[in-house]
Amino acid sequence: MKQIVNQLKKSNRMLITSHEHPDGDAIGALLALGIALESQGKHVSLYNESPIPAVYRFLPSVQKVKRVITDPDTFDTVTVLDCGGLHRVGKAAGAIRQIPRIINIDHHVTNSNFGHFQLIDTRACATAEIIYRLIKAMGIGLDKAMATAIYTGILTDTGSFRFSNTNRLSFSICEEMISLGVNPSEVASHVYGTYSLGRIKLLNLALDSIEISASGKVSIMTVTQNMLKETGTHAEDADGLINYARRIQDVRVAALIHELDKRKKGDTGPVNYHVSLRSDGSVDVAAIAALFGGGGHASAAGFSITSTLLELKSKITELSQRYPELCNVN
Ligand code: 5GP
Ligand code: MN
């Protein structure tokens, strides 16, 4: 922590980034650290490869997050947030790797320890929790804007204080954030309040796509490019749909297969997919994701793969045979 505090204090031009297809924690941690360092007169650029999902566009300073890195060779330091590996930032990974000092701040169990300085705490409920501690360690006074970003990161990564990563600090930090002016119902109404009609229609198609393994313990939900087109929605609208597949009685592992590439009608060849995995806590899905080159947490993980849909589904169903927890007998 001390080394990272010193590095950040020394830096004059810094880039801060988080993983592509960002969730509330990736955006909250990014904004909180960005606002905190800007308040110290630092020159800070914020980068994320993907568009910010509509539900997070209420966050303070969110318009400062850019989708391009201007003059990457002028930065002396980059801080990479909520990424198990540097590749998680997306296409800019190559340019970011060239920045002289790389600081890796994360809470994923599968973190590869990349970079020159690491602040990895797998017990932290969210990267936003680590950022809270870092801001305190730097002696920076938290304001309402930083507090809103931290609160949102913790709220979303703990599934509204329901997931197993929820700890005492999740509540005590959020309590402090509320004392700084955060309004819980206001944040919740932005993050969970309304679904566009398109998203409801997408939910309908996604629910209809659910398949259950013979043991009843694995569920698979599929979101295709055609479904997005048909409902006028975007990739980010599929966020959170997996929870419906996870909540099915007896299901231990849920997979959401998300088709990333458009394909011609009737084409069933291999394309790129992102697979999100969730478990009820009895199966370590980070280990399953790692088998496919991905990573994450014990109860929420993911990986990317090029495959046909049929093959991918059978690979996921085969997990039922590989893991005794997912078989019929237990
Ligand atoms: P999601 O399913 O919401 O995309 O991600 C769930 C968790 O798994 C997140 O903590 C995310 O960072 C991690 N994750 C998702 N996809 C990948 C991946 O392709 N590689 C790695 N290393 N982690 C992933
Ligand atoms: Mn996170």
Side-chain angles (χ1 to χ4, degrees):
M1 175 73 89
K2 216 167 166 193
Q3 254 187 332
I4 290 178
V5 168
N6 288 339
Q7 279 306 321
L8 292 176
K9 284 191 172 160
K10 262 200 281 183
S11 167
N12 293 313
R13 255 184 80 78
M14 98 183 71
L15 180 69
I16 312 177
T17 184
S18 54
H19 61 81
E20 58 177 341
H21 307 299
D23 51 19
D25 188 31
I27 300 165
L30 179 65
L31 290 173
L33 185 60
I35 299 168
L37 293 171
E38 260 191 353
S39 78
Q40 304 301 293
K42 295 282 179 196
H43 184 288
V44 183
S45 295
L46 306 183
Y47 170 78
N48 195 284
E49 175 171 304
S50 314
I52 304 291
V55 295
Y56 299 121
R57 288 193 204 132
F58 75 99
L59 284 167
S61 294
V62 74
Q63 73 287 351
K64 290 188 181 156
V65 183
K66 304 292 182 206
R67 296 181 65 193
V68 282
I69 304 177
T70 337
D71 302 329
D73 46 344
T74 61
F75 294 104
D76 56 55
T77 306
V78 57
T79 304
V80 183
L81 302 172
D82 205 35
C83 290
L86 186 51
H87 65 281
R88 294 278 295 138
V89 299
K91 293 183 201 83
I96 288 172
R97 203 167 275 124
Q98 304 305 318
I99 298 176
R101 284 190 291 276
I102 301 175
I103 301 174
N104 165 6
I105 302 180
D106 186 34
H107 69 135
H108 290 93
V109 285
T110 50
N111 192 287
S112 64
N113 262 315
F114 67 88
H116 306 104
F117 303 93
Q118 297 84 13
L119 186 52
I120 296 153
D121 181 356
T122 57
R123 283 164 314 170
C125 67
T127 300
E129 177 190 320
I130 309 175
I131 294 302
Y132 162 86
R133 285 190 246 139
L134 178 62
I135 292 174
K136 290 261 162 161
M138 292 188 77
I140 302 172
L142 281 148
D143 64 11
K144 186 181 171 187
M146 298 173 213
T148 307
I150 291 170
Y151 180 92
T152 303
I154 294 178
L155 178 76
T156 54
D157 248 30
T158 59
S160 306
F161 311 106
R162 285 173 302 147
F163 299 160
S164 56
N165 57 341
T166 309
N167 55 32
R168 281 178 66 186
L169 267 180
S170 324
F171 288 101
S172 67
I173 296 172
C174 286
E175 193 268 345
E176 189 182 333
M177 300 304 103
I178 292 166
S179 75
L180 289 165
V182 174
N183 180 336
S185 77
E186 218 172 274
V187 175
S189 76
H190 284 290
V191 176
Y192 305 116
T194 56
Y195 269 34
S196 67
L197 180 60
R199 197 163 179 216
I200 293 287
K201 291 189 169 175
L202 179 67
L203 170 63
N204 184 33
L205 296 180
L207 291 176
D208 209 31
S209 78
I210 291 176
E211 295 165 59
I212 304 283
S213 67
S215 67
K217 291 175 184 167
V218 179
S219 65
I220 303 179
M221 178 187 257
T222 310
V223 170
T224 64
Q225 288 291 322
N226 265 339
M227 292 180 184
L228 299 181
K229 194 170 157 200
E230 196 178 310
T231 55
T233 51
H234 305 280
E236 69 201 47
D237 290 303
D239 278 359
L241 299 186
I242 191 174
N243 292 317
Y244 291 94
R246 226 251 322 127
R247 275 194 215 124
I248 300 168
Q249 214 165 36
D250 298 330
V251 163
R252 292 186 162 186
V253 169
L256 170 72
I257 300 178
H258 190 147
E259 186 182 49
L260 300 177
D261 299 329
K262 294 194 173 76
R263 53 161 95 231
K264 291 207 181 84
K265 216 176 164 191
D267 168 19
T268 54
V271 287
N272 295 318
Y273 290 96
H274 182 263
V275 179
S276 292
L277 298 171
R278 298 289 184 274
S279 91
D280 65 348
S282 63
V283 182
D284 178 2
V285 286
I288 296 178
L291 292 175
F292 295 94
H297 309 285
S299 55
F303 63 91
S304 295
I305 189 168
T306 307
S307 173
T308 67
L309 186 56
L310 219 58
E311 261 174 55
L312 182 51
K313 280 185 182 171
S314 66
K315 275 186 186 140
I316 295 169
T317 326
E318 273 166 24
L319 294 170
S320 313
Q321 280 133 41
R322 204 171 165 141
Y323 284 81
E325 305 93 306
L326 299 177
C327 295
N328 250 332
V329 273
N330 62 6

